[in-house]
Amino acid sequence: MHAPHLTADCAGTFASLRLALPDEASTQMLGAALAQTLHPGLVIFLEGDLGAGKTTLARALIHALGHAGPVKSPTYALVEVYVISSLYLYHFDFYRFESAEEFLDAGFDEYFNVASLCLVEWPDKAAGCVPAPDLRLVLQHAGAGRSIEFLACSERGGACVNALKIPVANFSAAPVRP
């Protein structure tokens, strides 16, 4: 296990890290490791094309935080709510938005507060309305697997990435340079 070395990046961001995810199991393992670094008040963007692994990562993270039931994609519901101990976790998916104002019309701005953890898929569909992220997770197809780039956009996001401990043997080419 190790904490990756980070460098400043992302136009004002505090850290970045890129990893190869050779299979679904590595994505799940990374989600579980990331869960251990998270706390209320964080906003995390999950970015990437369809099928890039956003929901797989979110599902593993939510289960690692202690949710025992099913974790559905919020594509049709727009938000799935999980109460895990005293943590309120909101998993959003704005893929179906036709305008960013739908975010405000739905009252979603009230969900983003110091007592909640918000995971946001397709944040670009609510650009200008959704609060700025603490952490951007950018997933991409990479051959038969995926890659993920962590971009910490706040000190709190940087602290999460600094605290991340992953078993290097489960990731091909442990940090991968872009």
Side-chain angles (χ1 to χ4, degrees):
M1 304 286 264
H2 81 291
H5 176 70
L6 303 169
T7 57
D9 194 2
C10 184
T13 58
F14 294 78
S16 69
L17 170 70
R18 187 173 172 90
L19 295 171
L21 301 169
D23 52 28
E24 185 174 348
S26 62
T27 302
Q28 293 168 340
M29 186 176 302
L30 183 61
L34 181 60
Q36 304 313 308
T37 72
L38 303 180
H39 52 81
L42 290 171
V43 175
I44 300 170
F45 285 4
L46 301 169
E47 302 173 37
D49 292 334
L50 288 171
K54 298 178 299 291
T55 301
T56 298
L57 183 71
R59 184 175 290 121
L61 187 153
I62 292 166
H63 281 144
L65 287 171
H67 179 71
V71 175
K72 299 184 298 185
S73 172
T75 300
Y76 293 101
L78 301 178
V79 64
E80 292 291 337
V81 179
Y82 302 93
V83 180
I84 306 165
S85 187
S86 62
L87 174 68
Y88 285 84
L89 186 146
Y90 301 102
H91 182 194
F92 296 93
D93 185 329
F94 300 138
Y95 180 74
R96 299 202 175 279
F97 274 13
E98 293 190 24
S99 74
E101 289 74 28
E102 290 180 62
F103 175 87
L104 298 173
D105 293 344
F108 289 147
D109 53 326
E110 295 177 17
Y111 290 71
F112 292 79
N113 59 64
V114 297
S116 64
L117 173 61
C118 295
L119 303 176
V120 182
E121 295 187 38
W122 300 98
D124 56 311
K125 299 280 192 163
C129 295
V130 66
D134 293 293
L135 190 57
R136 290 178 54 214
L137 306 179
V138 183
L139 291 116
Q140 295 180 319
H141 296 274
R146 309 286 186 267
S147 69
I148 186 168
E149 185 170 15
F150 290 78
L151 299 167
C153 301
S154 72
E155 286 184 33
R156 295 177 328 147
C160 292
V161 179
N162 279 323
L164 186 63
K165 294 183 181 0
I166 55 172
V168 176
N170 294 308
F171 296 89
S172 63
V176 174
R177 299 283 174 210

